[in-house]
Amino acid sequence: MTDTLRPADAEPAVAGGFTSTRFVLVEPSHPGNVGAAARALKTMGFARLVVVRPRVAHVHEDPDARAMASGADDVLASTHLVDSLDEALSGVHWSLALSARTREYGPPVMTPRAAAERAVPIVAGGQHEIALVFGNERVGLSNADVERCSAIVHIPANPAYSSLNLAQAVQVLAYELRTAFQMHGPVAHAATGSGDLDASPLAANDDVERMFVHLENALVAIDFLDPANPKKLMPRLRRLFSRTGLEREEVHILRGIAKHILLKAHR
């Protein structure tokens, strides 16, 4: 079921942003929403749509999805179907979880506009991938899915009626990204965690997840973490590191520390 993720064609002036951005729908229930999301992406110049475990198999071929795509058939046809969020985020360096709910131990919260501005220096160098992650229409994203992302984006809708359709949420974020990419264009600073040209490249999601597994094993080995009573330690650590924008070399250092903790503990 898994396809290889590949960049799509985009507008030359801001191609780095468009080709480096993927939109991820996690377990969508309605094929029509997937088609409408494809249409939202195409109107803003994006084309990379990834769907995780859709309720309807081969959702991109469903008649309802095709009808709602309304001219964005190329984006819909190139949809990548994957089995897990980890697969969808493979190779991603910065990811945004769209959520209307506050999370006690989730990553930092941003507005769509602030997130789009933050994305510009990350994608400008053409070396980093970003992803926007949207949850199921009924229940949204799980805490575990949110914790795998770098930040939460909350759309400041009317508090008396804040329910947004999935495709509408996709449209809002795609618009904000398009505006930011066009405003800054190809002159944005090189893609690093802080905008510092001398900084190390950001760590990919795959490497960060492996680091957390390694670190958790080390903390268990020295009895700092009790697997039977973890007390939200790992979510708190994820929140701590998500605020830093981990660089590749920093992940290597942390894994080196975990490795030596395990060696000492086993002796």
Side-chain angles (χ1 to χ4, degrees), residues 119-247:
V120 170
I122 295 176
V123 301
Q127 301 177 16
H128 294 132
E129 296 265 333
I130 67 173
L132 290 85
V133 183
F134 301 80
N136 172 270
E137 296 93 329
R138 187 174 62 86
V139 297
L141 292 168
S142 68
N143 288 334
D145 288 342
V146 170
E147 288 171 4
R148 278 172 168 72
C149 295
S150 311
I152 293 175
V153 171
H154 175 69
I155 298 174
N158 176 9
Y161 186 68
S162 60
S163 177
L164 277 174
N165 173 271
L166 173 59
Q168 291 173 333
V170 170
Q171 187 78 74
V172 169
L173 269 296
Y175 167 77
E176 290 291 354
L177 283 171
R178 179 181 178 82
T179 300
F181 291 163
Q182 287 190 317
M183 182 179 297
H184 296 283
V187 300
H189 295 300
T192 64
S194 62
D196 181 358
L197 296 177
D198 298 323
S200 172
L202 290 176
N205 178 80
D206 320 57
D207 295 328
V208 173
E209 288 304 313
R210 284 190 285 266
M211 180 208 75
F212 279 122
V213 172
H214 207 166
L215 183 59
E216 183 173 3
N217 290 338
L219 296 176
V220 170
I222 60 174
D223 295 326
F224 189 83
L225 171 61
D226 179 4
N229 188 26
K231 295 182 178 179
K232 300 290 185 180
L233 175 61
M234 293 311 297
R236 287 177 182 272
L237 288 177
R238 282 179 175 272
R239 179 178 175 83
L240 168 66
F241 286 120
S242 68
R243 292 201 298 266
T244 68
L246 283 168
E247 298 171 359

Side-chain angles (χ1 to χ4, degrees), residues 1 5 114 229 262:
M1 182 177 178
L5 299 178
N229 188 26
L262 287 167

